[in-house]
Amino acid sequence: MNDAPPSLVGTRRLGWLLALPKLAIVLLVAALLSLLALLHHNEQDEERAALIKDVLWLEQNIRFHLSGNEEQLQQLALDMAETGEAQRLFRLRAGHMLKNAPDIAQILWLDSQRHVIDALPSPLPPEQDKEAFGPTATADAFERARLLSKASYSEPFLLAGERAHIAMLTPVFAERRLTGMLLAVYPLEALLSSQVPWWFTEKYNVEIVDDNDVRYATKSRIAGPGNQSYDIPFDPPGYGLKLRVTSYRTPDNWLPRLLIAAIIALAGGVFWSLWLVRDLMRKRSRAEEALRAEHAFRAAMEDSLTVGMRARDLDGRVIYVNPAFCRMTGFTAEELVGAAPPMPYWAPEQMERTYAMHQTVLAGAAPQDGFEITFMRKNGERFQALVYEAKLIDGKGKHTGWMASVLDITERKHAEELARQQQEQLQFTARLVTMGEMASTLAHELNQPLAAIASYNTGCLNLLAQPETRAEDLRPALEKIGHQAQRAGKIIRRVHDFVRKSEPKRAPCAIGEVIEDCLGFIEPEARKRQVRIDCRIPPLPPVLADRVMLEQVLLNLIRNGMDAMADTPLRDRSLNISATAEGGQLRIAVTDNGCGIAPEISDRLFTAFFSTKPDGMGIGLSICRSIVEFHRGRLWNEDNPDSPTGSGTIFAFTLPLEAP
């Protein structure tokens, strides 16, 4: 008993009814294709039989022609051996042959040593072709003709602009002694041109090839793809040469093929119409299956994302959120879908800024590289989010809303802040190290005004001990005491400002004043090391920079330059500081005449904790580069080409010229 549903039984019955005409159509098409293949095979056989017949005729025609020329040369050789006027006879008979045989390019008369006695049409071969008639091409043929006492052909050789030739050599005997050799030169192209009739080339392409399929000559009047080819040995001359004749494709008889094509097209139309009914029945189930698969794929993809996805319509109402966004904010999809501004995940303290950015997005003016904003989780915790907004386009190409990708960057912001604090601490430590290294020099520099103050104070006390001392006598000493106190205070202020730990502050500052303050630090040490500092700074526009950071960079570069000149002769210990404005940037350069920097070290020079000094920490140049890049500039080094010592280094950095 059949328990299948009626709909399923009807579908099966319809399938069997449609299968019978399909099978009949398939058999009809197969029969027609078989008939077409049989007709094509018969045509190919007929064409090949005609090709072989024509090739045999052509080969026999060329053979007869070469044999006739061979007989004429043999007769000429016999006549030349029997007459005393051999040269006159050679020129007369050879000239006659050249007129009647256009395929012969030249006939030569050689002696027994293969030297040219005479030649037609030119008396001698060209200078560049003389060697071709020597051992390289015809020596074997010459020797074979001498041993066999009959005509012999040479292997193909190239003459006259890489054209292929063969030579036929006929020996000349007198009283059974070889006295010479007649040599006829055949250009293979000319041989085909004279012996292959025009009607033959209308049907075929004729080639002379060897066993390696190297083509020596060809003749054809029609270009196009070949259909069939037939090879036959080309003997004489032999040596593996073959005549290859290729037939061209003949125009097809289009009427039978048009009829067969029409029948096949009709059968295909009927076949397609039968399949259409079945396809309509299966179309619904396939669409439903594809929809389920697509839904499952999208659900798996959305569940695996760690990036929050949020879609809003043109009015700003939430129409979709993925699980990652729900985990990020702590709200469920039911709580968020359909929500309108203000959103439950907006932080109240930044409500105005968040709403303004919301309006910017709806206006289509959201930053392409994203924007950062503070969101609030359901438990009240704040987190930093990086949001990228893009248009939401439906299947018809219509703009229906906005799709946002939301990334929680709270941890990244914390890491960036920690890295910034560590960098500031490292810079502060580097300044302390610099001051520590300069402590003795600064102490000596500070001791001078203090000693002067003590000396002037003693002088004042001595003057006060004298009864005749007037107040005006004390004024110069007191003024000098005040000047020295200001000098000491200035030194202390510079040290205090340099080592003070503070937040980076970019403010307009004159680069000339920054360099002048650095020189106030470094001049005592420069005098101690006997280094001359040349600093000529023209008037330059101010730059937006942190003054202490720039002093740290310049101080580090100047001290490195002085260290590099430790072994430089005293007359060449010169350090140059320059500053120029060009291309919207300020370029500051520190040039020394020191030992220079090896190329293998230059690439690692700005790497942290790499130092060329025995007691160096390796953080100075790394910090300098970080400071310059913080100011959106670039720091690099290059060789000093104008150094009198033949070595030296230029450290340069740029700062952008910005409006304050």
Side-chain angles (χ1 to χ4, degrees), residues 125-134 158-161:
E127 286 294 328
Q128 66 271 22
D129 295 339
K130 280 185 179 181
E131 184 64 21
F133 301 106
L158 301 180
L159 286 178

Side-chain angles (χ1 to χ4, degrees), residues 423 427 506 549-550 553 606 621-636 653-656:
Q423 182 69 16
Q427 293 174 10
R506 298 180 64 198
M549 285 185 171
L550 289 188
V553 173
F606 297 96
L621 288 176
S622 175
I623 291 175
C624 289
R625 170 168 281 186
S626 299
I627 292 175
V628 172
E629 291 177 350
F630 169 76
H631 289 83
R632 295 193 295 277
R634 187 171 69 93
L635 172 63
W636 74 94
F653 64 93
T654 58
L655 298 173

Side-chain angles (χ1 to χ4, degrees), residues 302 309-311 318-323 325-326 332-334 336-337:
E302 293 170 3
M309 304 296 294
R310 177 200 62 193
V318 177
I319 58 177
Y320 166 79
V321 289
N322 71 336
F325 188 82
C326 295
T332 63
E334 290 75 13
L336 295 177
V337 173

